Amino acid sequence: MTPAELSSAVLHAVRRAVDAGELDVTVPARAVVAPPGPGGCGDYATNIALQLARPAGQPPYRVAEVLRPYLVGVDGVADVVLTGPGFLNISLGGAAPAALVEEILSAGTRYGHADAPDAPDAPDAPDAPDNSVVRLHCPHDLRAVVVADAVARALRCQGALVRVTAEGFDREWTAALGVRVDGVGPAPVSLPVTVRPVPAPADPLPLGRDAARWALLHPAAHDRPRIGDEHLAQREGNPLFRVRYAHARSRALTRNAADLGFAAEPGPVPDAPQDLLAALGDHPRVLAAAAAHRAPDRIARHLVAVADAALPFLPTVLPRGGEKPSAAHRARLALAEAAGTVLAGGLTLLGIDAPDHL
């Protein structure tokens, strides 16, 4: 069971409790599930009982008690423990990580993408009605154009048709940073979404395509980006390096495993880090939110979280010494490959290369 599926299961439990007359509330649109906080236990926790307590007219702990039986019977849920004022702490069956990993490896770098229409861009679909096209417009500013380009990529991965225009555009930007616009000039008559981040304090082009795009996209639009050699540093203090290094290490593990005569196979991983599973499962939501809020920085920060969760796990994947490859090693390798897949897909959406060797 993935975090998204678990969230749906929580909402279904609320709906069943309402239908049974045990709760008198409106079923919310979403339920947040996340790794348990201090004092929690299990694989995931949700505060849905605290969210519903006031409209239900009952203490949060009582709401949690009502919901618990409806969750315990769900396939893939091993146990539900109540802690604190009413948190539901959910333990999943051993196959839960395997389902998430299998889903990621099956989708590849398109994991988290919505079904896209046949025509990916507005210029390729001239007959599309105006309200079906997201129109982005930006000033004659390099950071604005890069952010608009990344926003367009995020929107397209969610199935949107996008047209990007700019008040001015330098051709060297395409060659240097891979950005593109569909039109140059003043904002069109139809009201577009204006992309106007805080401009960069210096020219990022000397950093090269990947580091320059990261420097401009990693900070939120309202933050001033730092343009310096720190983005080129091959050390852990550089977030871009950590993301690309984690991806390259996952690819190296696949090559090394092949040399040892085994390949990845999704399966139970008893010691799987929950923060990594949570980050991988959250990837589709992050992509959707980045598109909805026109905020590619959310993707960049999410990739850092995935890398930071993956890096301590990667050294445990391969057999050590005279140890023979086992089902556990194949399952760990599959999880490592899933992490690398998410990192590669996210970097691609940001327009940044994900090299197999670093």
Side-chain angles (χ1 to χ4, degrees):
M1 180 180 292
T2 66
E5 291 170 337
L6 181 57
S7 176
S8 297
V10 171
L11 292 178
H12 185 62
V14 174
R15 190 172 294 110
R16 290 176 62 194
V18 170
D19 292 343
E22 294 188 70
L23 289 178
D24 183 12
V25 297
T26 299
V27 180
R30 63 188 295 259
V32 176
V33 296
C41 59
D43 298 310
Y44 294 98
T46 178
N47 65 348
I48 190 70
L50 283 72
Q51 180 182 341
L52 297 177
R54 178 172 293 180
Q58 300 185 46
Y61 200 89
R62 173 55 190 157
V63 175
E65 288 179 324
V66 170
L67 295 177
R68 183 182 180 278
Y70 294 105
L71 277 171
V72 170
V74 173
D75 288 342
V77 174
D79 194 15
V80 179
V81 176
L82 309 187
T83 60
F87 291 103
L88 290 152
N89 296 260
I90 304 167
S91 296
L92 302 179
L100 173 61
V101 169
E102 188 171 4
E103 179 184 358
I104 294 171
L105 296 182
S106 175
T109 55
R110 289 184 59 81
Y111 169 63
H113 290 214
D115 291 336
D118 292 336
D121 306 305
D124 298 332
D127 297 329
D130 287 344
N131 60 5
S132 70
V133 179
V134 179
R135 301 181 182 274
L136 305 175
H137 186 75
C138 50
H140 183 206
D141 172 71
L142 177 55
R143 189 187 184 201
V145 172
V146 170
V147 170
D149 179 78
V151 170
R153 292 167 184 256
L155 285 164
R156 289 175 186 132
C157 93
Q158 296 301 303
L161 300 175
V162 187
R163 181 177 176 84
V164 180
T165 57
E167 293 175 11
F169 186 76
D170 296 344
R171 290 185 178 180
E172 68 170 338
W173 294 352
T174 296
L177 299 184
V179 294
R180 53 167 286 190
V181 297
D182 304 308
V184 179
V189 176
S190 58
L191 184 64
V193 176
T194 301
V195 179
R196 195 182 297 273
V198 174
D203 182 7
L205 293 182
L207 295 176
R209 172 173 173 158
D210 293 335
R213 288 187 70 106
W214 181 269
L216 298 175
L217 294 173
H218 181 250
H222 57 267
D223 291 331
R224 184 174 298 278
R226 295 192 303 171
I227 307 299
D229 292 343
E230 67 269 19
H231 299 294
L232 300 173
Q234 302 290 296
R235 56 174 181 264
E236 291 185 359
N238 177 5
L240 174 59
F241 171 75
R242 295 204 304 277
V243 170
R244 300 176 85 189
Y245 179 68
H247 169 262
R249 286 288 301 128
S250 73
R251 301 303 300 149
L253 289 171
T254 299
R255 296 191 298 270
N256 294 339
D259 292 340
L260 294 173
F262 76 98
E265 183 178 326
V269 183
D271 55 350
Q274 295 304 311
D275 55 346
L276 177 57
L277 294 173
L280 297 180
D282 203 33
H283 188 63
R285 184 197 65 79
V286 171
L287 297 189
H293 297 280
R294 318 296 191 249
D297 57 285
R298 296 190 180 204
I299 300 175
R301 291 195 299 273
H302 174 65
L303 295 182
V304 175
V306 172
D308 288 347
L311 283 170
F313 168 73
L314 297 181
T316 71
V317 170
L318 297 180
R320 298 182 180 182
E323 192 177 9
K324 299 291 185 180
S326 66
H329 293 114
R330 291 191 289 272
R332 291 192 190 103
L333 179 60
L335 178 55
E337 288 186 358
T341 297
V342 166
L343 294 172
L347 286 171
T348 299
L349 287 176
L350 296 178
I352 297 172
D353 187 34
D356 289 350
H357 302 268
L358 196 62

